[in-house]
Amino acid sequence: VTAGNVFLADCPARLAVEIIADKWAVVVLYGLAGQPRRHGELAGLIGGISKKVLTHTLRRLESSGLVTRQAYAAAPPRVEYELTELGRTLIDPIRTLTRWAEANGEAILDAQDRYQPA
Amino acid sequence: VTAGNVFLADCPARLAVEIIADKWAVVVLYGLAGQPRRHGELAGLIGGISKKVLTHTLRRLESSGLVTRQAYAAAPPRVEYELTELGRTLIDPIRTLTRWAEANGEAILDAQDRYQPA
DNA sequence: CGGTATCCTTTTAGATACTG
DNA sequence: CAGTATCTAAAAGGATACCG
């Protein structure tokens, strides 16, 4: 539900954007692209994310139908997270974004260095 | 700087993603797509954003080289915000994302309704 | 290993009032 | 109109310890 090209409050598109407009969510989804991953494996790949936040992020993605959680009864425990069909459809848009980021990250850092508040 | 398809901490792509992985930043950029906009005009289009947060978001986008701010000396004041060349290159990736959101927003809402914590 | 629980600090954001 | 200042509430996130 958009007017022209601008979001209106409370439209579905805006709600969905709120889900993915999250630093950790994007990084976690990207980490799950291609193959299922275990909790600790994801933490290692991402770097700098605490267990608490990773778990919380995964739960939120799970509750939104983007990720599945599969626990295998064993000692030590083994839990695998995997993108759902819906989650996989998000990877392309994310890749578009990360390609942009890789191409323009330096430009942004340069701009930040040069920026003088008026 | 990525290993396989996963972000490593502190790479430029990750930093750039942090800039755009922000609810308000995405919405504001989208609001500026197509034409320059005044402060109050943006606030009205977006809905539910306070002046303080809108100003802060615009400053951050400005400091990252994505938006320019042009103040015209007059009474009452007139300030226009416009995407930079760099900012305009971000609109396509954002559109890809919002198209996904519009197509899948309902599916996410449904999943959230059905979700039962294990 | 994959969590939870607790504590604490930082960040984010809303409301309101005021200014050039 | 566009913004700043102040205050406050709420959310996010890190650290650490503990549990099945």
Side-chain angles (χ1 to χ4, degrees):
Chain A
V1 183
T2 58
N5 56 14
V6 175
F7 287 114
L8 294 175
D10 298 322
C11 68
R14 179 98 159 251
L15 203 151
V17 164
E18 286 181 24
I19 291 165
I20 59 88
D22 174 296
K23 177 176 69 170
W24 295 123
V26 172
V27 175
V28 167
L29 287 169
Y30 203 57
L32 290 174
Q35 67 262 211
R37 301 263 191 198
R38 301 178 60 173
H39 183 105
E41 190 183 5
L42 269 176
L45 284 166
I46 291 169
I49 188 173
S50 69
K51 283 193 293 188
K52 191 182 79 171
V53 172
L54 178 54
T55 297
H56 190 238
T57 303
L58 286 164
R59 288 279 186 282
R60 203 156 49 83
L61 295 174
E62 196 192 352
S63 77
S64 301
L66 300 172
V67 163
T68 56
R69 176 183 184 275
Q70 180 70 274
Y72 300 92
R78 174 183 186 83
V79 180
E80 292 214 323
Y81 293 93
E82 186 173 7
L83 294 180
T84 61
E85 188 56 37
L86 180 61
R88 275 188 284 277
T89 67
L90 230 188
I91 294 302
D92 257 5
I94 289 179
R95 264 195 226 286
T96 303
L97 213 53
T98 58
R99 265 195 301 272
W100 181 90
E102 287 181 34
N104 300 102
E106 292 297 343
I108 287 179
L109 289 175
D110 289 352
Q112 287 175 347
D113 284 344
R114 276 194 306 274
Y115 182 69
Q116 306 284 1
Chain B
V1 182
T2 58
N5 55 15
V6 175
F7 287 113
L8 294 176
D10 298 323
C11 66
R14 179 97 158 250
L15 203 150
V17 166
E18 285 181 25
I19 292 166
I20 59 88
D22 176 294
K23 177 175 68 169
W24 295 124
V26 171
V27 175
V28 168
L29 287 168
Y30 203 56
L32 290 174
Q35 68 262 213
R37 301 260 189 201
R38 302 178 61 170
H39 183 105
E41 188 182 7
L42 268 175
L45 284 165
I46 290 170
I49 188 172
S50 68
K51 283 192 293 189
K52 192 183 75 172
V53 172
L54 178 54
T55 298
H56 190 238
T57 302
L58 285 165
R59 288 279 186 283
R60 203 156 48 83
L61 295 174
E62 195 191 352
S63 76
S64 301
L66 299 173
V67 163
T68 56
R69 176 184 185 277
Q70 181 70 274
Y72 301 92
R78 174 182 186 86
V79 180
E80 291 213 325
Y81 293 94
E82 186 173 8
L83 294 180
T84 62
E85 187 57 36
L86 180 61
R88 276 188 283 275
T89 67
L90 230 188
I91 294 302
D92 257 5
I94 288 179
R95 265 195 224 284
T96 303
L97 215 52
T98 58
R99 264 195 301 271
W100 180 91
E102 287 181 35
N104 300 102
E106 292 295 344
I108 287 179
L109 289 176
D110 289 352
Q112 287 174 347
D113 284 343
R114 278 193 305 275
Y115 182 68
Q116 306 284 2

